[in-house]
């Protein structure tokens, strides 16, 4: 845990010091562009990345944004999962979308949608034929990544932090009410979506594969969205320092923000086994629901 704390403080310093190229571009463009490009308009999304939190949604959106026929929303809107935003109405939502040309599709991503009880019905009410993208990873690893994000956020805000074992276990038993675990019960959330959308409208991206070999997963997304194949292997390069793939497009190279790819704490093996055992039945149920399997431990 000591080495994890040391890494944590170093990464916090880097996060304060660094600004991602992508966010810099978005900020500068907001100041430079005073009027929309001719022939463009703001439109409600044709596709939404609905989750899952800490599953790779940002990586998927930025990689998909390479495609010339994709216009990606810059920020998470939280329209369908936050009542205070949903009450502002569809026009408010549409005004937060990027300007796009008629030949482009607009894509928004908010990972909180997948675990929201209300988001499926609300999205269906907007567009019952919309194409949904869901990116998932090993649910146990997702729990640890979820903890890691909260851990760093609390450090940055000078709030007390706890070891992950103290959150995963209560009174000697797995704390199944821990929110990070609840978010990894994919079968429960998927059932809610399948009440409103057929499985054919929900494309599941394997987040573990996307990290290790982005192109095949993105080619599947292109086909699902009926996009012409434009994303190629030269759009990606492996950054040895960061330990993951970065993006190359329009003559520029960029990596995900410093907050991505943070080191995970080493979890007590007994506690980790408790977590994996608890998730096993949920995983099997999920596999039956989506009619495919994933290489999760």
């Amino acid at each position: 845990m000591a080495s994890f704390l040391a890494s944590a403080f170093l990464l916090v310093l880097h996060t304060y010091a660094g600004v991602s190229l992508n966010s810099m571009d978005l900020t500068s463009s907001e100041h430079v562009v005073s009027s929309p490009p001719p022939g463009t308009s703001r439109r409600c999304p044709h596709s939404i990345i609905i989750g899952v939190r800490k599953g790779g949604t940002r990586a998927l959106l930025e990689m998909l944004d390479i495609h010339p026929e994709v216009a990606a929303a810059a920020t998470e809107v939280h329209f369908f999962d936050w009542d205070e935003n949903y009450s502002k109405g569809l026009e408010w939502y549409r005004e937060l979308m990027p300007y796009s040309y008629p030949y482009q599709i607009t894509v928004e991503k908010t990972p909180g949608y997948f675990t929201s009880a209300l988001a499926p019905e609300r999205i269906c009410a907007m567009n019952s034929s919309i194409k949904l993208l869901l990116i998932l990873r090993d649910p146990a690893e997702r729990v640890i990544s979820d903890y890691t994000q909260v851990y760093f956020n609390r450090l940055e805000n000078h709030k007390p932090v706890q070891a992950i074992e103290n959150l995963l276990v209560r009174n000697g038993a797995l704390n199944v009410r821990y929110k990070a675990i609840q978010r990894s019960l994919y079968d429960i959330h998927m059932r809610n979506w399948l009440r409103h959308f057929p499985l054919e409208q929900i494309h599941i991206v394997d987040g573990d594969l996307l990290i290790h070999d982005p192109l095949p997963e993105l080619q599947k997304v292109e086909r699902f969205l009926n996009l012409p194949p434009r994303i190629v292997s030269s759009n990606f390069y492996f950054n040895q320092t960061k330990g993951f793939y970065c993006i190359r497009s329009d003559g520029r190279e960029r990596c995900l923000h410093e907050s991505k790819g943070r080191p995970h704490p080493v979890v007590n093996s007994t506690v980790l086994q408790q977590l994996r055992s608890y998730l096993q039945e949920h995983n099997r149920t999920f596999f039956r629901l989506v009619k495919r399997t994933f290489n999760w431990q």
Side-chain angles (χ1 to χ4, degrees):
M1 193 69 184
S3 61
F4 177 62
L5 283 167
S7 300
F9 281 114
L10 284 172
L11 274 163
V12 168
L13 291 173
H14 290 161
T15 301
Y16 279 125
V19 180
S20 70
L21 176 61
N22 194 52
S23 62
M24 288 173 60
D25 292 344
L26 289 170
T27 304
S28 62
S29 65
E30 287 172 357
H31 291 291
V32 173
V33 180
S34 56
S35 60
T40 65
S41 62
R42 297 187 193 270
R43 295 179 291 168
C44 285
H46 303 81
S47 178
I48 299 178
I49 300 173
I50 59 174
V52 65
R53 171 179 160 129
K54 304 312 297 177
T57 57
R58 172 54 59 183
L60 176 59
L61 184 70
E62 294 207 14
M63 290 175 176
L64 190 56
D65 196 31
I66 295 170
H67 201 291
E69 295 186 19
V70 168
T75 59
E76 295 175 8
V77 183
H78 287 283
F79 179 63
F80 298 103
D81 60 335
W82 289 1
D83 291 343
E84 61 269 32
N85 285 344
Y86 192 69
S87 65
K88 296 173 183 176
L90 198 60
E91 183 61 21
W92 176 87
Y93 177 60
R94 188 180 65 82
E95 283 299 313
L96 293 175
M97 294 300 107
Y99 285 101
S100 62
Y101 291 98
Y103 63 85
Q104 292 179 308
I105 65 169
T106 298
V107 179
E108 186 241 317
K109 80 100 175 172
T110 299
Y113 291 160
F114 181 58
T115 56
S116 165
L118 297 172
E121 183 176 4
R122 288 172 171 178
I123 292 176
C124 186
M126 178 190 71
N127 181 359
S128 61
S129 60
I130 195 168
K131 295 192 172 187
L132 304 171
L133 295 169
L134 172 63
I135 180 167
L136 300 175
R137 64 190 292 197
D138 182 315
E141 290 297 320
R142 199 219 64 80
V143 169
I144 301 169
S145 186
D146 197 318
Y147 161 83
T148 303
Q149 175 172 295
V150 174
Y151 178 91
F152 277 95
N153 287 343
R154 292 185 69 85
L155 274 183
E156 291 168 12
N157 290 293
H158 309 290
K159 294 181 178 179
V161 295
Q162 297 186 63
I164 188 171
E165 290 83 358
N166 294 343
L167 297 170
L168 286 173
V169 177
R170 291 287 165 86
N171 301 319
L174 191 70
N175 178 20
V176 297
R177 299 183 66 183
Y178 178 33
K179 283 185 178 180
I181 294 178
Q182 289 289 312
R183 294 186 186 109
S184 279
L185 306 182
Y186 299 156
D187 59 322
I188 292 175
H189 307 300
M190 193 69 186
R191 276 200 184 97
N192 193 25
W193 286 90
L194 292 175
R195 291 188 187 103
H196 301 278
F197 295 96
L199 184 59
E200 293 72 26
Q201 273 177 242
I202 307 174
H203 177 73
I204 302 174
V205 178
D206 189 324
D208 298 310
L209 292 181
L210 184 76
I211 292 171
H212 296 105
D213 190 7
L215 184 59
E217 288 300 300
L218 287 163
Q219 288 173 330
K220 293 173 189 174
V221 173
E222 284 180 322
R223 290 192 291 270
F224 174 71
L225 297 177
N226 295 319
L227 292 169
R230 294 290 183 270
I231 301 174
V232 295
S233 59
S234 59
N235 287 131
F236 308 102
Y237 67 97
F238 189 79
N239 187 303
Q240 294 287 350
T241 303
K242 293 180 176 292
F244 53 76
Y245 278 91
C246 296
I247 299 167
R248 181 187 293 117
S249 66
D250 299 325
R252 298 180 304 159
E253 296 182 351
R254 69 179 189 273
C255 292
L256 297 179
H257 191 269
E258 286 84 352
S259 64
K260 306 302 179 182
R262 286 167 166 167
H264 287 182
V266 177
V267 184
N268 176 280
S269 59
T270 303
V271 173
L272 185 58
Q273 186 53 47
Q274 279 182 280
L275 175 62
R276 292 196 181 279
S277 296
Y278 175 72
L279 292 170
Q280 272 186 351
E281 187 55 39
H282 287 282
N283 293 343
R284 285 193 286 265
T285 304
F286 178 75
F287 296 160
R288 288 194 294 270
L289 285 174
V290 301
K291 302 175 183 176
R292 61 181 285 196
T293 59
F294 293 81
N295 188 29
W296 298 334
Q297 294 183 35

